[in-house]
């Protein structure tokens, strides 16, 4: 008879307990598996998982309290306010009719947004990780026909401060995660501060600001384990977006290459909302704002993003600062799409008040109105980048808001959140936030009041201060809201019928992508949903993809090993927009980073000549050598910026080989794991690794002298697309720069699975 094993019995008991709670594999997000369909039968909150417990129950004064964890947690079957008032709707703000403005009396919106604004102390709830720079905006004057904003007049130059950021991660997260990026610009105009607070994606997850806490709560790390950080590849995000399908369009953009920009310098920006412009005569037009990078739109491939997150989590921040320091000042054109300001506020059947929709550029071209140049880095990160405060309500005469319900909530939220984050209502007096226009606001006292106000009558009307300050009408530069006619209606928590179309624009975006970009989208969905624990959530998201495109759904389902669902609705008929693809265009190469691999045995004069040619072309050369210091000595010495130990292919847009470098003395796995154990190789193994990665990521590669040996050793055919070999380094560079204009050698990517 087999003897009992007490250890094995204990393990079996634990396994049985876990099995009872459906947690055979660690990582289950909740204590019960979800259903594919959204639950609709009221029930109380789920119990905590078996592996969880809270702190012991004590009062604030250290007295033991006899309560269970359930009694300390929220309870009841129904959604309520913080005061226990049951709610019938938390998806729509209270508006004057489905298309009317949001009403100030919406107590639920106020409580929900207020609480969300103060969830994080002291960093931002969203956009916590950022990088910023100073610059100047030069107006072309072409917007003067549609707005009287002074900073958009011909010849006007306006100082700016621009902050780029990720959305979901904390301040300590990595730069190259798959996420939406913020693109916030503070214009210090003569008429006051104007903040254009946008993103690198032109649409948003939600149509009404009352849902903002929901989408961010879903995207943030799970509250029990605080993982995963700065990413959407987890259950709560995909649970939300599959149940709230208005998020589909933004989600698809995030899963495309737009979700992992190559740098802030090659990233588009969008105002997202529709704004109203007012000209000198009071005529109005509706517009959408666009930032177009002069260097073109360019993204990382997924493997690059993963490598960079480990090798250099500060990659985007460093890239921006280094480019400015090198004199390769990043530039963007500000453009506007202009639409008639009709009572319907639609254009070509597209609802302009729906922030989940775009207007294709083929229907409304983007008209350039000015140039943004970033030319100076901050002196102090905390004082400037961290303390800068943006607000969509910082407006100037000639620019007005619309009744977009997401914009309405932002008008409240941005101002409110600064009160906690920056210590009170005087955040505008922090140096980076200070307006360049005279202030006479009658606001007094409170925390961090730096002004020494004179006068005894901070109220209107007054006579003790001589009646000052006085009102300014439109003639005197006063801000006067556009007197838009508001239709008679009922107070409702509803959305317009046009907001119910959640799939036509995602399909438009999908069909606008090139085959290689579509493959990247398929890979992104497969990866992200592969990280989801619950099978039901995966199945539900496949149902969403089926409404976009059957091939997209089929390929992701195959990657997940799940059946392919059929669409419930007929696929919408749409016209693709070529402007949405990043492939097939040619761009300036200013600011691109060129790695030059060399050692002391090569022709250093040729290396220096190529380096100077790179600089002369407005690009950034980085010499990569076996060790730091210099190659050579005296007047012929070449300064080394990277070593075989510190360099990785992801830092460079192109690689040049000044011959075939011999292995460095530290080319040993004991010193550098990238070197492996092949110390007797003819070429340094870390160089071969760089070359292999650069080739796989479709980057231009050039070489001269005996560079062919290194290419062959790396398994690269010297005659492959985008590989340039010659006798003269400067001639090789010229061809490599031409290839760089397309960002990547796209034909080098593996052929897409989808038949073209």
């Amino acid at each position: 008879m087999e003897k009992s094993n007490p250890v094995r019995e204990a393990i079996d008991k634990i396994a049985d307990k876990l099995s009872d709670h459906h947690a055979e594999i660690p990582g289950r997000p909740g204590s019960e598996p979800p259903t594919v369909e959204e639950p609709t039968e009221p029930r109380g909150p789920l119990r905590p998982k078996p592996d969880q417990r809270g702190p012991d129950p004590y009062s604030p004064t250290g007295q033991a309290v006899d309560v269970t964890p359930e009694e300390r947690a929220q309870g009841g079957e129904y959604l309520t306010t913080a005061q226990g008032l049951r709610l019938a709707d938390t998806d729509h703000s209270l508006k004057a009719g489905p298309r009317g403005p949001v009403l100030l009396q919406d107590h639920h919106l106020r409580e929900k947004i207020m609480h969300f604004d103060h969830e994080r102390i002291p960093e931002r709830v969203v956009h916590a990780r950022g990088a910023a720079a100073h610059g100047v905006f030069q107006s072309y004057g072409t917007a003067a026909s549609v707005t009287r904003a002074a900073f958009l007049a011909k010849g006007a130059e306006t100082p700016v401060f621009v902050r780029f950021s990720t959305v979901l991660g904390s301040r300590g997260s990595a730069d190259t995660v798959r996420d939406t990026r913020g693109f916030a610009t503070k214009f210090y105009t003569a008429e006051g501060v104007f903040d254009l607070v946008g993103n690198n994606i032109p649409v948003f997850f939600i149509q009404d600001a009352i849902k903002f806490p929901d989408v961010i709560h879903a995207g943030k790390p799970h509250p029990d384990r605080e993982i995963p950080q700065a990413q959407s590849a987890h259950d709560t995000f995909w649970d939300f977006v599959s149940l709230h399908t208005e998020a589909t369009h933004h989600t698809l953009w995030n899963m495309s290459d737009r979700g992992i920009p190559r740098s802030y310098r090659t990233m588009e920006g969008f105002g997202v909302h529709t704004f109203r412009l007012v000209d000198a005569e009071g005529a109005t037009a509706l517009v959408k704002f666009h930032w177009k990078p002069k260097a073109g739109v360019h993204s990382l491939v997924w493997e690059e993003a993963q490598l960079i997150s480990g090798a250099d989590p500060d990659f985007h921040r460093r890239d921006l600062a280094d480019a400015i320091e090198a004199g390769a000042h990043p530039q963007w054109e500000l453009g506007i799409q202009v639409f008639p300001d009709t009572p319907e506020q639609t254009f070509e059947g597209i609802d302009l008040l729906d922030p989940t929709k775009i207007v294709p550029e083929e229907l409304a071209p983007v008209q350039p109105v000015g140039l943004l140049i970033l030319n100076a880095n901050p002196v102090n990160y905390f004082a400037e980048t961290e303390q800068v405060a943006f607000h969509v309500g910082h407006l100037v005469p000639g620019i007005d808001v619309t009744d977009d319900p997401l914009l309405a909530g932002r008008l409240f939220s941005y101002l409110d959140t600064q009160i906690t984050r920056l210590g009170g209502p005087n955040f505008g007096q922090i140096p980076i936030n200070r307006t360049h226009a005279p202030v006479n606001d009658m606001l007094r006292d409170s925390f961090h009041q730096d002004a020494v106000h004179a006068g005894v009558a901070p109220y209107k009307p007054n006579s003790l201060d001589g009646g000052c300050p006085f009102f300014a009408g439109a003639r005197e530069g006063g801000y006067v809201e556009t007197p838009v006619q508001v239709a008679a209606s009922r107070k409702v928590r509803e959305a317009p019928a046009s907001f119910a179309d959640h799939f036509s624009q995602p399909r438009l975006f999908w069909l606008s992508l090139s085959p290689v970009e579509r493959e990247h989208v398929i890979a992104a969905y497969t990866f992200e949903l592969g990280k989801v624990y619950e099978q039901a959530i995966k199945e539900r998201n496949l149902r969403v993809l089926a409404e976009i495109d059957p091939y997209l759904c089929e390929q992701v389902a195959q990657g997940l090993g799940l059946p392919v669902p059929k669409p419930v609705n007929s696929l919408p008929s749409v016209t693709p927009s070529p402007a949405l693809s990043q492939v097939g265009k040619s761009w300036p190469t200013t600011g691109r980073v060129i790695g030059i691999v060399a050692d002391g045995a090569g022709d250093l004069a040729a290396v220096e000549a190529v380096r100077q040619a790179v600089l002369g072309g407005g690009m950034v050369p980085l010499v990569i050598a076996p060790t730091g210091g210099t190659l050579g000595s005296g007047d012929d010495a070449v300064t080394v910026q990277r070593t075989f130990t510190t360099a990785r292919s992801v830092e460079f847009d192109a690689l040049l080989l000044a011959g075939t470098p011999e292995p460095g003395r530290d080319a040993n796995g004991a010193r550098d794991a990238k070197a492996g154990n092949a110390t007797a190789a003819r070429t340094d193994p870390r160089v071969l690794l760089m070359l292999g990665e650069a080739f796989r990521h479709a980057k231009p590669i050039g070489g001269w002298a005996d560079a062919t040996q290194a290419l062959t050793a790396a398994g690269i055919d010297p005659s492959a697309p985008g590989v340039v070999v010659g006798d003269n380094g400067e001639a090789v560079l010229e061809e490599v720069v031409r290839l760089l204009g397309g960002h990547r050698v796209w034909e080098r990517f593996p052929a897409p699975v989808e038949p073209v």
Side-chain angles (χ1 to χ4, degrees):
M1 186 174 178
E2 185 176 323
K3 292 184 178 180
S4 63
N5 185 329
V7 175
R8 170 52 55 191
E9 290 174 358
I11 293 174
D12 289 342
K13 287 181 180 179
I14 294 173
D16 289 340
K17 183 178 179 182
L18 290 174
S19 180
D20 290 342
H21 290 85
H22 312 286
E24 301 87 350
I25 302 172
R28 179 175 295 284
S31 57
E32 292 183 13
T35 57
V36 174
E37 305 298 337
E38 179 180 2
T40 57
E41 187 66 28
R43 58 168 294 178
L46 301 182
R47 295 174 59 87
K49 295 193 298 179
D51 63 303
Q52 298 173 318
R53 75 172 181 88
D56 293 334
Y58 280 82
S59 76
T61 56
Q63 306 299 316
V65 180
D66 186 18
V67 294
T68 65
E70 288 75 14
E71 290 172 323
R72 287 187 291 167
Q74 294 188 356
E77 302 95 328
Y78 295 99
L79 179 68
T80 74
T81 67
Q83 310 306 315
L85 176 68
R86 291 185 177 183
L87 295 167
D89 187 317
T90 192
D91 288 349
H92 304 94
S93 299
L94 189 65
K95 300 188 286 291
R99 297 185 61 78
V102 173
L103 300 177
L104 183 62
Q105 72 182 69
D106 190 347
H107 59 93
H108 175 41
L109 168 69
R110 173 74 171 87
E111 179 188 71
K112 186 175 180 180
I113 294 290
M114 178 276 296
H115 194 281
F116 170 75
D117 287 341
H118 302 285
E119 285 179 0
R120 300 289 191 281
I121 300 173
E123 71 176 27
R124 289 167 167 87
V125 177
V126 289
H127 299 279
R129 180 171 181 80
H134 297 273
V136 62
F137 177 77
Q138 302 168 344
S139 173
Y140 299 155
T142 49
S145 61
V146 289
T147 179
R148 66 188 185 97
F151 80 97
L152 290 174
K154 186 173 180 58
E157 288 202 356
T158 304
V160 297
F161 190 72
V162 180
R163 187 178 189 271
F164 306 100
S165 56
T166 53
V167 171
L168 291 177
S170 68
R171 280 189 60 188
S173 57
D175 278 344
T176 59
V177 295
R178 184 180 293 280
D179 194 5
T180 305
R181 264 72 181 177
F183 192 133
T185 307
K186 186 175 290 292
F187 297 83
Y188 302 96
T189 87
E191 299 178 299
V193 166
F194 171 60
D195 286 343
L196 182 53
V197 194
N199 287 336
N200 74 318
I201 291 176
V203 293
F204 203 60
F205 290 106
I206 54 175
Q207 296 166 325
D208 192 311
I210 201 168
K211 295 300 295 178
F212 196 73
D214 299 296
V215 66
I216 299 303
H217 286 167
K220 283 286 190 179
H222 291 200
D224 54 350
R225 298 188 178 191
E226 188 67 10
I227 56 174
Q229 176 63 245
Q231 56 184 297
S232 55
H234 55 90
D235 287 67
T236 58
F237 175 81
W238 289 101
D239 182 42
F240 175 82
V241 299
S242 59
L243 293 170
H244 202 69
T245 53
E246 70 190 50
T248 302
H249 195 191
H250 191 158
T251 302
L252 186 59
W253 276 75
N254 250 8
M255 293 304 106
S256 77
D257 292 340
R258 301 288 188 132
I260 40 175
R262 160 62 179 84
S263 72
Y264 294 133
R265 298 181 289 122
T266 58
M267 188 178 83
E268 274 188 293
F270 303 91
V272 179
H273 306 287
T274 299
F275 291 82
R276 177 175 282 109
L277 298 187
V278 187
D279 69 14
E281 282 70 46
T284 63
L286 301 179
V287 302
K288 286 183 176 290
F289 290 106
H290 295 249
W291 288 113
K292 297 283 189 181
K294 297 288 280 185
V297 185
H298 186 31
S299 297
L300 298 167
V301 296
W302 182 229
E303 185 188 21
E304 285 182 298
Q306 292 173 303
L307 289 170
I308 294 169
S309 289
D312 185 5
D314 306 305
F315 183 73
H316 284 157
R317 181 181 297 186
R318 191 186 316 280
D319 174 89
L320 178 68
D322 285 354
I324 293 172
E325 186 176 5
H329 296 153
Q331 299 182 10
W332 291 260
E333 275 193 318
L334 178 63
I336 54 175
Q337 287 180 296
V338 183
F339 319 104
D341 189 1
T342 63
E344 296 78 21
Q345 296 176 95
T346 63
F347 182 79
E348 297 289 339
I350 300 168
D351 195 328
L352 297 176
L353 299 187
D354 184 349
T356 69
K357 304 291 195 301
I358 65 166
V359 177
E361 294 182 30
E362 290 77 11
L363 297 179
V366 176
Q367 305 172 35
V369 299
L371 180 67
L372 168 67
I373 304 171
L374 297 184
N375 53 22
N377 288 310
V379 172
N380 183 280
Y381 183 91
F382 178 81
E384 299 167 86
T385 306
E386 184 63 22
Q387 290 198 117
V388 67
F390 297 94
H391 175 36
V392 289
H394 290 163
L395 301 165
V396 292
I399 302 178
D400 203 347
V401 298
T402 58
D403 290 335
D404 176 340
L406 177 61
L407 177 57
R410 294 178 74 197
L411 288 167
F412 165 75
S413 180
Y414 280 57
L415 195 64
D416 182 59
T417 195
Q418 313 301 348
I419 295 173
T420 291
R421 191 174 70 82
L422 295 175
N426 290 311
F427 60 86
Q429 296 182 18
I430 295 171
I432 193 62
N433 295 322
R434 290 176 183 171
T435 179
H436 294 191
V439 173
N440 197 354
D441 58 14
M442 297 195 302
L443 305 178
R444 293 294 187 267
D445 308 339
S446 194
F447 295 104
H448 312 301
Q449 176 60 260
D450 292 331
V452 181
H453 292 103
V456 296
Y459 52 83
K460 289 287 290 179
N462 77 75
S463 63
L464 293 177
D465 282 346
C468 186
F470 297 91
F471 296 116
R475 278 190 181 180
E476 295 80 30
Y479 189 88
V480 180
E481 287 78 6
T482 308
V484 178
Q485 185 71 36
V486 178
S489 190
R490 305 172 292 123
K491 292 190 298 184
V492 294
R493 291 192 185 274
E494 295 178 8
S498 59
F499 278 38
D501 175 11
H502 298 165
F503 298 116
S504 64
Q505 289 223 330
R507 179 161 174 77
L508 182 153
F509 180 63
W510 166 258
L511 293 178
S512 302
L513 299 179
S514 66
V516 67
E517 290 172 302
R518 293 185 193 179
E519 289 297 319
H520 293 169
V521 170
I522 291 168
Y525 270 103
T526 306
F527 175 87
E528 295 256 332
L529 291 174
K531 289 279 191 175
V532 170
Y533 187 100
E534 296 292 356
Q535 201 82 339
I537 294 175
K538 298 178 186 180
E539 294 176 17
R540 195 189 308 136
N541 277 282
L542 288 174
R543 290 183 181 180
V544 173
L545 295 184
E547 303 297 325
I548 300 173
D549 186 82
Y551 179 76
L552 169 62
C553 181
E554 171 193 299
Q555 295 300 305
V556 176
Q558 286 182 5
L560 298 175
L562 294 174
V564 183
K566 299 292 184 184
V568 175
N569 306 295
S570 58
L571 295 176
S573 177
V574 297
T575 302
S577 169
L580 298 177
S581 173
Q582 297 180 206
V583 178
K585 305 178 183 69
S586 184
W587 304 99
T589 56
T590 305
R592 307 308 290 274
V593 180
I594 311 292
I596 306 171
V597 181
D599 62 14
D603 183 352
L604 296 183
V607 172
E608 180 59 22
V610 169
R611 198 181 76 85
Q612 291 299 327
V614 173
L615 285 170
M619 297 168 288
V620 181
L622 294 177
V623 175
I624 313 164
T627 63
T630 60
L631 296 174
S633 59
D635 295 338
D636 297 329
V638 176
T639 302
V640 175
Q641 283 89 24
R642 300 289 187 273
T643 68
F644 295 167
T645 299
T646 61
R648 200 69 189 259
S649 68
V650 290
E651 187 175 3
F652 311 105
D653 296 296
L655 280 178
L656 299 176
L657 284 168
T660 295
E662 294 186 355
R665 293 183 178 181
D666 61 345
N668 185 295
R671 301 278 179 83
D672 185 352
K674 298 195 301 298
N677 295 316
T679 56
R682 170 71 177 83
T683 307
D684 193 293
R686 295 163 297 184
V687 173
L688 301 181
L689 177 64
M690 273 197 294
L691 289 171
E693 289 174 349
F695 186 84
R696 189 165 66 251
H697 300 151
K699 296 178 180 179
I701 298 172
W704 61 93
D706 61 346
T708 302
Q709 295 181 32
L711 294 171
T712 303
I716 297 172
D717 183 351
S719 63
V723 180
V724 184
V725 178
D727 298 325
N728 180 277
E730 292 179 76
V732 168
L733 172 65
E734 184 176 347
E735 177 62 14
V736 165
V737 171
R738 187 190 68 78
L739 292 167
L740 263 182
H743 290 314
R744 295 188 192 274
V745 185
W746 296 100
E747 60 267 35
R748 199 192 290 157
F749 282 111
V753 177
E754 180 181 11
V756 179

